[in-house]
């Protein structure tokens, strides 16, 4: 009996020593104390070390775009590191081009703060705010796309550049594991400052869209931050070709409202693609834009037309190539899935639009 008691005691003692050692080494090696984050040489935050740069910035209400909640799957939370962050991790590499790595661009969700760090971000991110709003209206645009109208509570007004997007906060709910944010382009008339509208397509199994379509109700309060993004009309008179599919309509609609508000006379042809007529929406509104903008033309395209359809058929890219051999001197504006964006960039560059004049938001 005595040897058994001694061995139990010995094992417990060794385990206690190991656990204690681990706890001490955790404190000694992993507690980084307070660290400073210097932003654009004009703002300094003091934060607890050991957390990620993205978490630290978000906790200080300093918002960097991020859609995946820090899992290194969206690649949106890029910042330029001046010093203090070591080498990029393998998790970051799929999202960084060779030029970006050379330029010290990093994913802020993958940088652990171990010491003072100095970063550079686009100036517009200093104006990002967190908003609360009430869902004033939800309406079906198609069988899988809804328009959401959010009336602002606080701050009471929002200013943004047409084409920009916000990040909608999704709280934990029965079918999701934790809180997340997702990006949605503002679709409403930018003249309106007290509300924004979003055009959201339901993604089967998607965390945010399931919440929006199944759980969100008119009258509910929501939270978002923004505005983000650099997709906007250039300040030129160059003719423009817009191409979008599905909810890619959202920022295009906002740009068209802006063109009406500013009496913009630029030539603009907008190709909008869907599988069938059931995927088309805002057709009356597009007619209205055509009547208000003398040089605007809307071209709906369906790949699987039903009897009676007299418009363009095929893929939206095929409709563009049928109509245009040469687009030299034009600008391209694209919005939709990464597949659509890549296919459009290919045909537009082949027809003479340099890549730097093709602007897009990829709904990745
Ligand atoms: C700048 C920008 C602007 C955008 N604007 C708009 C807009 O105006 N309108 C709009 O509708 N969308 C927009 N998006 C896309 C939007 O942000 C979301 O990506 C989209 O709504 C899907 O979000 P979700 O949370 O519902 O789907 P997610 O949960 O992100 O899922 C996406 C896909 O992954 C699959 N998936 C999820 N989890 C798993 C898993 N564990 N295993 C396997 N598969 C899985 C889902 O089934 C689904 O097919 C924009 C994106 C960006 C980057």
């Amino acid at each position: 009996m005595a040897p058994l008691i001694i061995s139990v005691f010995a094992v417990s003692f060794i385990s206690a020593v190991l656990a204690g050692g681990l706890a001490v080494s955790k404190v000694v090696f992993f507690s980084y104390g307070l660290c400073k984050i210097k932003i654009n040489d004009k703002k300094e935050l003091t934060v607890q070390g050991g957390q990620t740069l993205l978490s630290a910035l978000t906790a200080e209400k300093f918002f960097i775009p991020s859609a995946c909640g820090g899992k290194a799957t969206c690649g949106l939370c890029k910042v330029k590191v001046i010093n203090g962050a070591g080498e990029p991790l393998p998790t970051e590499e799929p999202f960084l081009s060779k030029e970006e790595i050379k330029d010290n661009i990093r994913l802020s969700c993958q940088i652990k703060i171990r010491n003072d760090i100095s970063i550079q971000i686009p100036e517009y991110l200093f104006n990002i705010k967190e908003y609360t709003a009430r869902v004033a209206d939800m309406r079906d645009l198609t069988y899988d796309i809804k328009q959401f109208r959010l009336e602002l509570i606080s701050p009471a007004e929002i200013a943004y550049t047409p084409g920009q997007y916000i990040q909608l906060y999704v709280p934990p709910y029965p079918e999701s594991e934790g809180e997340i944010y997702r990006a949605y382009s503002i679709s409403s008339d930018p003249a309106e400052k007290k509300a924004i509208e979003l055009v959201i397509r339901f993604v089967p199994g998607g965390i945010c869209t399931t919440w929006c379509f199944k759980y969100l109700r008119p009258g509910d309060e929501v939270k978002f931050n923004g505005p983000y993004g650099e997709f906007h009309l250039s300040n030129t008179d160059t003719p423009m070709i817009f191409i979008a599919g599905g909810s890619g309509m959202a920022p295009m609609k906002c740009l068209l409202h802006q063109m009406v508000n500013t009496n913009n006379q630029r030539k603009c042809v907008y190709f909008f693609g869907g599988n069938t007529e059931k995927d088309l929406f805002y057709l009356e509104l597009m007619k209205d834009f055509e009547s208000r903008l003398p040089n605007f033309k809307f071209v709906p395209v369906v790949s699987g037309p039903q009897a009676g359809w007299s418009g363009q058929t095929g893929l939206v890219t095929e409709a563009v190539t049928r109509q245009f051999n040469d687009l030299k001197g034009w600008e391209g504006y694209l919005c939709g899935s990464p597949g659509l964006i890549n296919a459009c960039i290919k045909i537009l560059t082949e027809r003479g639009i340099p890549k730097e004049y093709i602007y897009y938001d990829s709904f990745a």
Side-chain angles (χ1 to χ4, degrees), residues 111-334:
I111 297 173
K112 195 162 182 182
I113 302 174
R114 299 183 159 88
N115 41 254
D116 292 351
I117 180 167
S118 179
I119 62 169
Q120 208 171 2
I121 56 168
E123 278 296 314
Y124 84 84
L125 290 177
F126 281 89
N127 297 323
I128 304 296
K129 291 185 188 139
E130 188 166 51
Y131 293 82
T132 52
R134 194 171 316 285
V135 180
D137 184 48
M138 292 167 58
R139 69 180 57 178
D140 288 336
L141 296 174
T142 70
Y143 58 96
D144 66 349
I145 298 182
K146 278 188 199 294
Q147 174 186 288
F148 293 79
R149 181 175 172 77
L150 309 179
E151 285 179 0
L152 301 184
I153 299 170
S154 174
E157 295 201 349
I158 184 168
Y160 59 92
T161 304
Q164 285 193 300
Y165 67 94
I166 56 94
Q167 294 218 134
L168 185 63
Y169 169 78
V170 184
Y173 66 93
E175 292 168 63
S176 82
E177 282 166 17
E179 49 185 24
I180 51 134
Y181 284 88
R182 289 287 184 266
Y184 294 99
S185 306
I186 301 172
S187 66
S188 35
D189 184 338
E192 191 174 21
K193 305 286 178 217
K194 294 182 189 302
I196 59 165
E197 285 171 7
L198 308 175
V199 170
I200 302 183
R201 176 182 220 153
F202 177 67
V203 175
I207 299 170
C208 178
T209 54
T210 299
W211 178 70
C212 290
F213 279 62
K214 209 167 144 185
Y215 291 85
L216 209 54
R217 293 284 171 266
D220 286 353
E221 209 171 295
V222 294
K223 203 164 81 169
F224 66 85
N225 57 51
Y228 297 98
E230 302 188 82
F231 181 70
H232 58 84
L233 285 186
S234 72
N235 194 14
T236 66
D237 288 330
T238 308
M240 300 178 288
I241 180 164
F242 287 9
I243 312 177
S247 52
M249 168 66 88
M252 304 309 200
K253 174 175 173 285
C254 189
L255 297 182
L256 289 164
H257 283 297
Q258 179 196 13
M259 288 176 69
V260 170
N261 298 347
T262 55
N263 194 21
N264 193 318
Q265 303 287 311
R266 286 171 80 170
K267 185 178 171 71
C268 176
V269 186
Y270 177 10
F271 288 84
F272 180 73
N275 292 330
T276 72
E277 289 95 308
K278 287 188 184 149
D279 295 297
L280 303 178
F281 56 100
Y282 287 150
L283 298 182
E284 285 306 311
L285 180 68
M286 292 300 136
K287 275 195 194 134
D288 188 51
F289 283 136
E290 282 180 333
S291 71
R292 288 157 182 262
L293 296 165
N295 299 312
F296 171 63
K297 179 96 190 91
F298 179 67
V299 185
V301 185
V302 294
S303 54
Q306 286 151 348
W309 173 253
S310 57
Q312 290 281 327
T313 56
L315 297 174
V316 74
T317 44
E318 291 166 350
V320 173
T321 53
R322 268 199 303 269
Q323 187 160 335
F324 292 102
N325 276 327
D326 185 359
L327 284 164
K328 274 189 212 86
W330 287 61
E331 289 174 355
Y333 292 79
L334 318 173

